[in-house]
């Protein structure tokens, strides 16, 4: 049965309804026959549509291992997992966690309360608990934090035939069997062979003779974004993780990398819009407002600084009222160019494209671009003012301010996030609205400063 | 030899220097011995560091197929590939293109001039040309545009042993061998079996008995972003592509999906910042300015609309000069909330998270959130104005405008991109700066409208 997108949705709704019916009728066989045939992701979708009571029946129908298979694909936040787990018998819940992919299990255990964590760990299979405990030491956003320890490693003295036989045995419980890692007796990573190469190779050859010795690996402490870059560059399906003594400790698979790329891009994106990253389209208006409010209140205060500053220029404004008509265009254009520079800097920092040596070059490039675009926009606005108002001095003030503030805005947009990053401050603070508001203040100071200088000619 | 990140860079520089030396000495054996041992990605890195002359020597040392292997991983823009290909003998170049992964070959051929395309195609191996021609009919951003036709398909009457033997034969020339697709005699997709399942299965079993019949597939015309979502949800390493009669026509692999996720996220991001997507950190100031200028000039004109509009309120402004002090905070806050709503809408549209039915719900949610945050910020600003200026009427005007314009801004930020998307207009136009400037105009109209109403109380 082919399940292309169009008929999948219709068909899926039917399947869901029958499964819910079976749960309510407590029909174990009927339920399992259909449910176990679904992809884990689809199982998860159905699970999430169930009532608490139906979920409880499902736990009776399935083993913790079977539940863990679709728990792995739910991709919930840790607190949402916690909410689900709280309603399940602790021993059963512990077994679900233990049977999940270790990287996912660790994410959950790291987020729930210490008390609950220490309840679950002793209730798991000992082997799972040991692996999970060892993974819990790594930072969340590093290679160690996203790797799994379920890796297939073989030794170089095996023949291809032996390796295939071994693979047959371990395949069911390994997350990724398409790369086999060759280790020496001290568990140092000595080579790699893909299952593709293994299949093509002669059965009697030694692994040591057919493996690739140049293995690209990452360190446990490497940032997840760097890891993603390597996997994407090399078109890998997985990359091995080594510790500081080059022992093989785990593997990071393509599906985890896709999530990293998605997640990191989302973070950059949210920062540019001045939002928290945990917004969801299913939030209510009140939830959305609550998440955005801290930012917006902060920006209101910053905006009041602008208002307070402008009130010093009340005299200037009173004498040449037309000046206020250009406040929005000057602050707006400074905001636009500043945001563009900020976007380049944020992206460059998070993809690692901006190195220490290239920072000054980038700032210079942005300043140059700010100057050129400021000059062009300044000329345009000068001509418009001449035509509309026949006020050359006003034209000079507005276009001069535009040129200066667009140049400064590019520098602010580039340098602030780079400095923050260097100082180790979470550059999330250098978000779009913050930079824009800062540029507002500076651009208006330039504007009124210039206006005051030319005041005599304006009257 | 382990190549973790730290020592990779040092080691790599040495390798590069020896290779360049061998090229200049025309030492074929020395060059090939080291070069062929590198990963294709690394080969590409070295290739890109070569002078034109060194590249010419490299072409003499390598077959077009060997060159194509690293050309696949260069991930250049089509015009950059074109520049490289122009300097190579046409027959050799045609063979490089023909030996690349078909999806990449199509990307290049679609972008170069028709004339060159028609030069290269007849010079390729006939089989390659046929496959590539058939792929050239698909739109770039669809499943058809990113798939490759090099898929391993078997029939359900084979035994596991036969399938393995067949796989051994075709593995060297197939892009993805970890999923085998089972087709009926009419090439309809009938099932799927992963290499993992194949390895675990008994040698004498029939494929038809061990395959999974529920295959998740995508259609050639599906949007690439939808495809990425499915692959990410299901944690697939690849997904089959079928045509409208459910014939298997190709496969999309995880590495292509990673690029799609990266690319689409970059597009959303650039749109929010009002930049073109083809900016590069290696551009000069002039190149950067050129790319940004059309946008900025357009925004200057829009800004002048604001200035022109404000000049109608010259009388109001002349009488209550303090009013102009709050122009930046009101337009700024409307801009901030509008951008947040826009970010949610852009992301929702491009990930397909926003369905037809949920559009009104989303607009309502955003409006609600705009109202709540506007109310909160309005109260804050009212209190500040009372304390700072002791002007309750001014406080009411400013906070009332803030409330109204933040509410309206959320609606503008949500509805404009949704409408544009519905009307089939490229919603790239609804970029951050455009929405911000539109919100500027509206918020200031609200502000001065309100000020005029209360004018008598202000004097």
């Amino acid at each position: 049965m082919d399940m292309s997108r169009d008929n999948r949705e219709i068909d899926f709704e039917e399947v869901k309804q029958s499964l819910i019916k079976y749960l309510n009728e407590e029909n174990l066989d009927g339920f399992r026959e259909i449910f176990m045939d679904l992809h884990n992701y689809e199982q998860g979708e159905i699970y999430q549509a169930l009532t608490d009571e139906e979920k409880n029946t499902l736990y009776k129908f399935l083993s913790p291992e079977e539940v863990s298979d679709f728990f792995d694909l739910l991709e919930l936040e840790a607190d949402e997992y916690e909410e689900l787990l709280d309603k399940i018998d602790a021993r059963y819940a512990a077994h679900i966690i233990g049977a999940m992919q270790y990287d996912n299990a660790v994410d959950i255990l790291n987020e729930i309360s210490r008390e609950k964590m220490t309840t679950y760990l002793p209730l798991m299979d000992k082997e799972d608990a040991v692996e999970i405990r060892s993974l819990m030491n790594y930072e969340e956003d590093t290679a160690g934090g996203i790797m799994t320890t379920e890796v297939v490693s073989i030794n170089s003295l095996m023949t291809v035939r032996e390796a295939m036989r071994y693979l047959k045995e371990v395949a069911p419980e390994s997350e990724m069997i398409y790369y086999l890692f060759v280790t020496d007796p001290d568990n140092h990573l000595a080579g790699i062979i893909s299952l593709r190469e293994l299949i093509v190779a002669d059965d009697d050859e030694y692994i040591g003779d057919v493996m690739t010795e140049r293995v690209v690996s990452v360190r446990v402490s490497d940032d997840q974004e760097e890891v993603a870059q390597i996997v994407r560059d090399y078109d890998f399906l997985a990359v091995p993780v080594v510790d500081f003594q080059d022992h093989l400790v785990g593997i990071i698979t393509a599906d985890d990398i896709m999530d990293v790329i998605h997640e990191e891009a989302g973070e950059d994106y949210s920062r540019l819009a001045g939002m928290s990253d945990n917004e969801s389209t299913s939030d209510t208006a009140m939830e959305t407002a609550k998440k955005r409010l801290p930012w917006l209140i902060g920006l209101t205060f910053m905006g009041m600084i602008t208002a307070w500053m402008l009130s010093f220029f009340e005299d200037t404004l009173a004498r040449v009222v037309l000046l206020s008509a250009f406040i929005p265009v000057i602050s707006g254009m400074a905001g636009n160019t500043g945001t563009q520079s900020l976007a380049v800097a944020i992206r460059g920092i998070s993809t690692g494209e901006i190195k220490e040596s290239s920072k000054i070059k980038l700032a210079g490039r942005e300043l140059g671009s700010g100057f050129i675009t400021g000059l062009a926009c300044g000329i345009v606005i000068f001509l418009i003012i001449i035509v509309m108002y026949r006020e050359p001095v006003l034209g000079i003030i507005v276009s001069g301010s535009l040129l200066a503030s667009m140049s400064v805005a590019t520098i602010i947009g580039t340098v602030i996030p780079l400095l923050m990053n260097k100082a180790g401050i979470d550059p999330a603070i250098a978000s779009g609205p913050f930079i824009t508001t800062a540029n507002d203040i500076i651009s208006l100071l330039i504007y009124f400063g210039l206006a005051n200088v030319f005041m005599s000619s304006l009257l």
Side-chain angles (χ1 to χ4, degrees), chain A:
Chain A
M1 170 176 41
D2 173 51
M3 297 296 295
S4 69
R5 190 152 186 91
D6 309 336
N7 43 40
R8 191 164 54 232
E9 273 167 37
I10 308 161
D11 178 85
F12 189 68
E13 195 50 41
E14 263 175 49
V15 168
K16 187 163 94 181
Q17 291 315 323
S18 343
L19 284 170
I20 291 179
K21 202 177 72 148
Y22 288 142
L23 281 176
N24 288 318
E25 289 170 358
E26 306 246 343
N27 179 345
L28 180 130
D29 293 335
F31 179 80
R32 283 188 63 94
E33 194 184 325
I34 303 182
F35 192 79
M36 296 314 291
D37 215 32
L38 295 176
H39 188 281
N40 292 333
Y41 171 70
E42 295 164 335
Q43 295 177 343
E45 280 199 310
I46 289 179
Y47 169 79
Q48 288 189 282
L50 300 180
T51 64
D52 281 354
E53 205 177 329
E54 287 158 357
K55 281 180 188 153
N56 283 331
T57 313
L58 174 138
Y59 301 137
K60 285 192 284 176
F61 287 2
L62 300 175
S63 73
E65 288 74 24
E66 286 162 344
V67 174
S68 77
D69 284 340
F70 64 80
F71 259 50
D72 267 325
L73 287 176
L74 289 181
E75 302 213 343
L76 302 175
E77 297 292 322
D79 59 324
E80 294 170 305
Y81 276 116
E82 188 175 0
E83 220 185 294
L84 292 172
L85 293 168
D86 280 350
K87 295 182 189 146
I88 310 177
D89 166 72
R91 181 171 298 273
Y92 190 95
H95 273 93
I96 295 178
I97 303 173
M100 285 178 76
Q101 289 172 13
Y102 292 146
D103 46 343
N104 296 335
V106 167
D107 283 345
I108 297 175
L109 290 175
N110 268 334
E111 294 288 329
I112 63 179
S113 72
R114 237 198 127 62
E115 191 195 341
K116 280 183 203 162
M117 191 189 84
T118 47
T119 314
Y120 288 138
L121 277 170
L123 291 172
M124 287 177 195
D125 283 345
K126 206 163 178 186
E127 195 189 331
D128 293 330
V130 169
E131 293 286 353
I132 288 172
R133 258 184 232 276
S134 76
L135 280 175
M136 289 181 73
N137 299 322
Y138 300 109
E139 297 269 350
E140 204 186 329
D141 291 346
T142 62
I146 55 171
M147 74 182 182
T148 179
T149 49
E150 292 147 299
V151 11
V152 182
S153 65
I154 54 179
N155 84 61
S156 59
L157 297 176
M158 278 183 174
T159 62
V160 168
R161 184 181 291 113
E162 285 167 336
M164 280 298 279
R165 201 172 301 142
Y166 174 69
L167 193 59
K168 243 182 194 295
E169 267 169 49
V170 299
E173 61 205 39
S174 307
E175 189 176 338
M176 162 55 76
I177 63 158
Y178 301 128
Y179 292 120
L180 287 79
F181 298 105
V182 187
T183 49
D184 68 14
D186 296 327
N187 200 33
H188 286 114
L189 189 56
I192 186 176
I193 182 165
S194 69
L195 182 47
R196 176 199 289 258
E197 292 164 319
L198 200 63
I199 283 180
V200 175
D202 209 44
D203 278 353
D204 295 317
E205 280 189 279
Y206 285 105
I207 293 297
D209 297 332
V210 287
M211 72 181 189
T212 305
E213 285 178 34
R214 266 184 77 87
V215 185
V216 175
S217 62
V218 297
R219 286 208 191 280
V220 278
S221 58
D222 281 351
D223 187 89
Q224 61 172 2
E225 183 112 30
E226 268 177 58
V227 178
Q229 192 65 41
I230 290 176
V231 172
R232 227 165 60 75
D233 281 345
Y234 283 82
D235 279 7
F236 283 148
L237 292 178
V239 65
V241 185
V242 296
D243 67 12
F244 293 92
Q245 283 104 36
D246 289 335
H247 299 113
L248 176 67
V249 290
I251 185 173
I252 299 172
T253 49
D255 57 295
D256 295 320
I257 294 297
M258 284 188 227
D259 293 337
V260 169
I261 298 174
H262 188 80
E263 179 190 318
E264 296 270 346
E267 277 172 20
D268 291 346
Y269 185 79
S270 303
R271 250 165 81 186
L272 203 58
M275 298 192 299
S276 72
D277 199 43
N278 59 359
E279 279 207 18
S280 149
T281 38
S282 61
D283 284 345
T284 63
M286 187 52 100
E287 284 164 345
T288 308
K290 259 192 202 159
K291 287 178 185 169
R292 294 183 192 168
L293 205 50
W295 258 111
L296 291 172
I297 294 276
L299 290 167
T300 307
F301 277 98
M302 277 191 73
M304 281 310 293
I305 299 178
T306 324
W308 167 77
M309 204 187 68
L310 282 189
S311 59
F312 285 103
F313 294 104
E314 227 180 310
D315 279 354
T316 318
L317 276 165
R319 281 193 275 172
V320 190
V321 175
L322 201 54
L323 278 179
S324 55
F326 299 95
I327 292 178
V329 65
I330 288 172
S331 73
M333 293 304 287
N336 292 334
T337 43
T339 305
Q340 292 176 330
S341 300
L342 175 70
V344 172
I346 292 183
R347 211 69 207 279
I349 291 172
S350 71
T351 59
E353 223 183 314
I354 301 179
K355 305 250 153 49
E356 200 52 49
S357 56
S358 59
K359 280 182 181 176
I360 292 169
K361 212 180 125 205
L362 180 75
R365 202 273 311 258
E366 288 295 318
L367 175 62
S369 146
F371 184 84
I372 298 167
T373 51
L375 194 66
C377 294
I379 293 173
V380 169
I381 216 161
F382 180 79
L383 294 175
I384 299 179
I385 291 177
I386 292 291
V387 172
M388 278 176 70
Y389 305 95
R390 308 194 180 278
E391 294 263 22
V393 179
L394 183 69
I396 288 172
I397 296 173
V398 174
S399 57
S401 312
L402 205 60
L403 170 60
S405 55
M406 281 170 73
S407 305
V408 174
T410 51
I411 283 291
I412 301 277
T414 312
V415 172
I416 302 251
L418 291 180
L419 283 183
M420 282 179 145
N421 183 250
K422 180 152 193 169
I425 302 170
D426 180 5
I429 304 170
S431 73
F434 172 82
I435 294 286
T436 303
T437 311
N439 279 328
D440 262 14
I441 300 179
I442 295 168
S443 61
L444 293 176
L445 274 178
I446 294 174
Y447 180 42
F448 284 99
L450 214 55
N452 272 342
V453 171
F454 283 90
M455 186 52 96
S456 53
S457 329
L458 272 175
L459 292 173

